[in-house]
Structure formats: structure tokens, C-alpha cells
Amino acid sequence: HQPGNIARRPSQSRPAAAMGCRTSRPQRSGTSVGVVHVDALIKVGAPSSKGRRASVMHMMADQDVIVSAKEAEDVLLKQAADMENSLSTPTIALIAHDNMKKMMRQFVLVHLEMLRDFQLTGTGTTCAMLRELGLEPIGSTASGPLGGDQQIGAMLVAGEVDAVFFFRDPFSAHAHIADIEALSRLVDCYQVYYGGNYRSASAVLSFMHGNLKKRQATGRRCSIMKPEGMSDLAEAVQSDYKSTRAAALEKSKS
């Protein structure tokens, strides 16, 4: 086919690959048949779905076309821009219990312009409130009692969250208190920024926003002052525990 044109594959019906899902197909190598994954780690922002990523191969599968070199180049350039944006823009998770949502709303209104410069996520009802105020979260979890706090914790472990602003209600009992405590523990375990009330969240946000503007102006990452020999705070907290894992594994064999 001519460069820049899209060539249709030979007519054969097969289900299109689900966006963001890993699919496989057999590939011949000599006389053996192996299975290879088609996403090839080439990922870009899917235009029709926020927070989800599609690969060049998935685009080919969804449209049942063979992508030209020029189109693949455009996709890869978009991927690079997407990755740069995700690497340079910290993500903040916002959570507020029902009796604290009024205060969270006021916090967002007062800090609206600063919050626009970050990627935002959070539990379901809180993110619905953010959208009402004109912000666009990159995604949301379930409501806290339905597992949302645990989902935020999983994102934190995966390195997808840089700060948590959690406005807890100090005067009510919570059925999911175990989830709340687990999330608070992970914040300490991974040493991410944490704001547990209006004042602390405001101070943390102002500091993070100042660092973000410095990074954008200088191209250099700015952070807090760290002790000598302790550049990775999470590793400093976790190192003693991690050192016991090999011994625990060996003990299980005896």
C-alpha cells in the first residue's frame, strides 16, 4: 500500500482486542509455534477513555487495519508526550468522610487553581464533588466503605499516587475502620505526602505546587530536604523488613 494510507487486512473475522487488555496470538518460529503478546508495551492515551491506554497493536485490532509507518510514528510521539505528562505531574488522591465533605468542598474552592495543575483521583463520592466544581479527576475508585480506600492503597503501592488528602470524621464510627487504618499505614510505609485536615492539606499542597512550578521552570526535580544517605525515604522505612524476607522463605522450606 502507499505510505500514509491504511491498508485493510485480508477479510477474516476475529474479535477486536479489548482496550487496555493484553491479548496474544500464535507466531511461527521455524517449526515451533509460540505465543507472543501483541501490546509490546507501546502505549498511548486512548482518546475515547480517560485514564486508559491503548497500544499500536490494539489500535490495529480495534480498527482491523494495518497501521502505516507514519501513523505508528504519530502514535509513538503521542505516547512520549503522554508519558512525559504523567511523569512530570504528581497525582493527589482526595478522600473525605460524609461529615467532612463540606470542608473538603471549601478546601477545593479555595485551592482550585493550584489543584488544576495536578492529576487528581479519589474515592467515588469525593470525585463526583470535584467534577461538580469544575475539576477533571483522571479516574475514581469505589466509595470508601465499598473498598475505595483499599483501591487508593493499591495505587499508592504501585507508585501512582504522590499525596493523599484524607479528611477523616473524628466524631463518627466507621464500618470500614480497618481500611482507613490500612491506608494510613501505607502512607507511612511509602512516605508519600499526607494531609489529614484542612491546615495540613493546605500546607502540603502549597509546598507541592511550589516545587512543581520550580521543576517546570528549571527542568530539575525539587523535593524536601533529606538526610545524607537517605535519598529514598520509603526504602529507608522498608529496608529492615525486606532484609528478613529471604530468611522467612528459607524457614518455610524446613
Side-chain angles (χ1 to χ4, degrees):
H1 62 280
Q2 296 298 320
N5 294 332
I6 295 178
R8 289 281 166 186
R9 288 178 179 167
S11 177
Q12 61 180 44
S13 61
R14 64 178 184 82
M19 191 73 73
C21 297
R22 186 178 290 270
T23 58
S24 60
R25 65 185 177 194
Q27 175 175 316
R28 292 194 176 277
S29 176
T31 58
S32 61
V33 177
V35 174
V36 294
H37 294 293
V38 300
D39 60 1
L41 298 182
I42 303 173
K43 299 181 178 180
V44 297
S48 62
S49 179
K50 287 190 176 182
R52 300 178 69 184
R53 296 177 183 269
S55 68
V56 173
M57 292 298 189
H58 284 143
M59 185 174 73
M60 292 170 63
D62 287 341
Q63 300 177 11
D64 196 28
V65 296
I66 298 173
V67 180
S68 69
K70 178 62 170 65
E71 290 167 326
E73 179 183 2
D74 291 342
V75 170
L76 291 173
L77 288 173
K78 191 175 188 306
Q79 171 202 4
D82 214 37
M83 290 178 63
E84 175 63 24
N85 180 63
S86 66
L87 289 172
S88 61
T89 307
T91 298
I92 300 174
L94 295 97
I95 311 167
H97 288 153
D98 286 352
N99 288 342
M100 301 299 291
K101 280 185 171 50
K102 181 177 180 179
M103 180 167 285
M104 176 63 83
R105 181 183 290 270
Q106 294 306 312
F107 173 83
V108 172
L109 287 171
V110 170
H111 300 88
L112 194 63
E113 294 309 311
M114 280 196 286
L115 288 169
R116 290 189 195 278
D117 290 334
F118 293 88
Q119 296 189 115
L120 304 176
T121 188
T123 47
T125 311
T126 302
C127 278
M129 181 183 69
L130 295 178
R131 294 187 184 95
E132 287 181 358
L133 298 177
L135 295 173
E136 288 294 333
I138 58 174
S140 63
T141 68
S143 182
L146 299 178
D149 296 338
Q150 292 193 35
Q151 288 177 293
I152 297 293
M155 294 170 65
L156 197 155
V157 173
E160 298 172 356
V161 170
D162 301 282
V164 176
F165 297 163
F166 194 167
F167 288 10
R168 295 174 57 173
D169 177 5
F171 294 106
S172 299
H174 304 286
H176 62 305
I177 186 63
D179 295 356
I180 297 169
E181 292 176 344
L183 177 58
S184 299
R185 175 184 168 277
L186 287 175
V187 165
D188 294 338
C189 186
Y190 288 89
Q191 292 289 295
V192 301
Y193 292 106
Y194 181 73
N197 55 51
Y198 189 106
R199 287 182 184 273
S200 60
S202 180
V204 169
L205 178 61
S206 297
F207 180 79
M208 291 181 67
H209 192 262
N211 282 345
L212 179 62
K213 290 302 181 182
K214 290 178 185 176
R215 184 194 308 176
Q216 292 172 343
T218 65
R220 298 177 59 185
R221 182 178 293 274
C222 303
S223 185
I224 59 174
M225 297 175 62
K226 299 177 183 177
E228 185 176 351
M230 196 179 290
S231 59
D232 189 331
L233 297 176
E235 182 61 29
V237 171
Q238 299 170 20
S239 59
D240 286 348
Y241 170 75
K242 288 182 176 179
S243 67
T244 66
R245 296 305 85 206
L249 182 61
E250 287 302 316
K251 185 177 181 181
S252 70
K253 298 176 183 178
S254 60

